[in-house]
Amino acid sequence: MAVSISAVVLLGIIVVILLRGGSIRLWPALACTGFGFFLASTGAAPLIRAAISAATGWIPSI
C-alpha cells in the first residue's frame, strides 16, 4: 500500500511539472488520467500492479 501511495504522489508531481513547464497540455493530461482510471478497473490491473511491485522490489537490491 505504501508503494502505491508514493507512486501516485510521484506521478502526480511529474504531471504537475509537465503541465507547468508546457511539455503537456491540460486535455492530453486529463485523457491520460481517465485512461489510467479505466485501466485500473480492467483485468490488466493485477498484472500491472504485480510488475510494478516486482520492479520496486528489485530496485533496492541494486
Side-chain angles (χ1 to χ4, degrees), residues 5-33:
I5 291 173
S6 56
V8 168
V9 171
L10 176 65
L11 292 173
I13 291 170
I14 291 171
V15 168
V16 168
I17 290 170
L18 289 173
L19 282 170
R20 291 183 58 106
S23 296
I24 189 171
R25 302 278 185 216
L26 178 63
W27 291 112
L30 291 176
C32 290
T33 303

Side-chain angles (χ1 to χ4, degrees), residues 3 46-62:
V3 171
L47 178 64
I48 294 169
R49 187 172 293 124
I52 291 172
S53 294
T56 57
W58 178 71
I59 290 172
S61 66
I62 294 178

